[in-house]
mmCIF file of all heavy atoms in Angstrom:
data_model
loop_
_atom_site.group_PDB
_atom_site.id
_atom_site.type_symbol
_atom_site.label_atom_id
_atom_site.label_comp_id
_atom_site.label_asym_id
_atom_site.label_seq_id
_atom_site.Cartn_x
_atom_site.Cartn_y
_atom_site.Cartn_z
ATOM 1 N N GLN F 54 87.648 92.652 96.536
ATOM 2 C CA GLN F 54 87.812 91.203 96.459
ATOM 3 C C GLN F 54 88.113 90.678 97.853
ATOM 4 O O GLN F 54 88.879 91.296 98.601
ATOM 5 C CB GLN F 54 88.972 90.820 95.537
ATOM 6 C CG GLN F 54 88.760 91.080 94.061
ATOM 7 C CD GLN F 54 90.018 90.759 93.278
ATOM 8 O OE1 GLN F 54 90.884 91.621 93.105
ATOM 9 N NE2 GLN F 54 90.144 89.535 92.814
ATOM 10 N N GLN F 123 108.976 78.046 108.003
ATOM 11 C CA GLN F 123 109.227 77.560 106.640
ATOM 12 C C GLN F 123 108.426 78.375 105.613
ATOM 13 O O GLN F 123 108.934 78.716 104.542
ATOM 14 C CB GLN F 123 108.857 76.079 106.541
ATOM 15 C CG GLN F 123 109.186 75.445 105.202
ATOM 16 C CD GLN F 123 108.782 73.979 105.154
ATOM 17 O OE1 GLN F 123 108.485 73.370 106.180
ATOM 18 N NE2 GLN F 123 108.786 73.396 103.962
ATOM 19 N N ASN F 146 111.814 92.005 122.115
ATOM 20 C CA ASN F 146 112.108 93.434 122.168
ATOM 21 C C ASN F 146 112.535 93.859 120.763
ATOM 22 O O ASN F 146 113.633 93.558 120.314
ATOM 23 C CB ASN F 146 113.232 93.705 123.181
ATOM 24 C CG ASN F 146 113.495 95.195 123.363
ATOM 25 O OD1 ASN F 146 113.493 95.965 122.410
ATOM 26 N ND2 ASN F 146 113.728 95.595 124.600
ATOM 27 N N SER F 157 111.150 82.500 119.827
ATOM 28 C CA SER F 157 111.236 83.933 119.548
ATOM 29 C C SER F 157 112.549 84.267 118.839
ATOM 30 O O SER F 157 112.567 85.034 117.872
ATOM 31 C CB SER F 157 111.135 84.735 120.847
ATOM 32 O OG SER F 157 109.897 84.519 121.483
ATOM 33 N N LEU F 185 102.206 92.773 114.066
ATOM 34 C CA LEU F 185 103.419 93.268 113.416
ATOM 35 C C LEU F 185 103.168 93.573 111.945
ATOM 36 O O LEU F 185 102.261 93.013 111.322
ATOM 37 C CB LEU F 185 104.548 92.242 113.544
ATOM 38 C CG LEU F 185 104.798 91.688 114.958
ATOM 39 C CD1 LEU F 185 105.808 90.555 114.912
ATOM 40 C CD2 LEU F 185 105.271 92.806 115.890
ATOM 41 N N ARG F 219 104.465 103.227 90.792
ATOM 42 C CA ARG F 219 103.606 103.501 89.640
ATOM 43 C C ARG F 219 102.348 104.240 90.081
ATOM 44 O O ARG F 219 101.935 104.163 91.237
ATOM 45 C CB ARG F 219 103.205 102.189 88.951
ATOM 46 C CG ARG F 219 104.391 101.361 88.490
ATOM 47 C CD ARG F 219 104.883 101.818 87.148
ATOM 48 N NE ARG F 219 106.016 101.007 86.702
ATOM 49 C CZ ARG F 219 106.598 101.144 85.523
ATOM 50 N NH1 ARG F 219 106.151 102.049 84.680
ATOM 51 N NH2 ARG F 219 107.629 100.392 85.178
ATOM 52 N N THR F 237 67.329 111.688 68.459
ATOM 53 C CA THR F 237 66.853 112.134 67.135
ATOM 54 C C THR F 237 68.010 112.254 66.151
ATOM 55 O O THR F 237 67.952 111.723 65.033
ATOM 56 C CB THR F 237 66.121 113.491 67.260
ATOM 57 O OG1 THR F 237 65.057 113.357 68.199
ATOM 58 C CG2 THR F 237 65.557 113.910 65.913
ATOM 59 N N LYS F 309 95.719 108.878 123.972
ATOM 60 C CA LYS F 309 97.140 108.499 123.873
ATOM 61 C C LYS F 309 98.041 109.676 124.239
ATOM 62 O O LYS F 309 99.111 109.492 124.825
ATOM 63 C CB LYS F 309 97.452 108.026 122.454
ATOM 64 C CG LYS F 309 96.936 106.624 122.140
ATOM 65 C CD LYS F 309 97.270 106.214 120.713
ATOM 66 C CE LYS F 309 98.743 106.092 120.510
ATOM 67 N NZ LYS F 309 99.079 105.633 119.139
ATOM 68 N N CYS F 319 85.737 109.130 127.603
ATOM 69 C CA CYS F 319 85.170 109.766 126.411
ATOM 70 C C CYS F 319 85.289 108.835 125.207
ATOM 71 O O CYS F 319 84.340 108.688 124.429
ATOM 72 C CB CYS F 319 85.878 111.091 126.136
ATOM 73 S SG CYS F 319 85.289 111.939 124.651
ATOM 74 N N ILE F 331 75.574 102.294 114.119
ATOM 75 C CA ILE F 331 75.709 101.426 112.941
ATOM 76 C C ILE F 331 74.540 100.454 112.864
ATOM 77 O O ILE F 331 73.922 100.274 111.807
ATOM 78 C CB ILE F 331 77.057 100.679 112.975
ATOM 79 C CG1 ILE F 331 78.206 101.633 112.633
ATOM 80 C CG2 ILE F 331 77.052 99.503 111.992
ATOM 81 C CD1 ILE F 331 79.577 101.009 112.736
ATOM 82 N N MET F 384 92.188 91.278 77.834
ATOM 83 C CA MET F 384 91.642 90.040 78.394
ATOM 84 C C MET F 384 90.546 89.460 77.497
ATOM 85 O O MET F 384 90.458 88.247 77.308
ATOM 86 C CB MET F 384 91.106 90.294 79.806
ATOM 87 C CG MET F 384 92.194 90.509 80.848
ATOM 88 S SD MET F 384 91.597 90.412 82.556
ATOM 89 C CE MET F 384 90.606 91.898 82.650
ATOM 90 N N VAL F 446 44.368 46.517 57.941
ATOM 91 C CA VAL F 446 43.530 47.682 58.133
ATOM 92 C C VAL F 446 42.631 47.821 56.916
ATOM 93 O O VAL F 446 43.105 47.872 55.780
ATOM 94 C CB VAL F 446 44.394 48.957 58.299
ATOM 95 C CG1 VAL F 446 43.489 50.184 58.498
ATOM 96 C CG2 VAL F 446 45.341 48.804 59.461
#
Side-chain angles (χ1 to χ4, degrees):
Q54 291 176 271
Q123 185 181 347
N146 185 319
S157 298
L185 311 172
R219 302 276 181 176
T237 304
K309 284 180 65 177
C319 178
I331 286 176
M384 288 194 291
V446 180

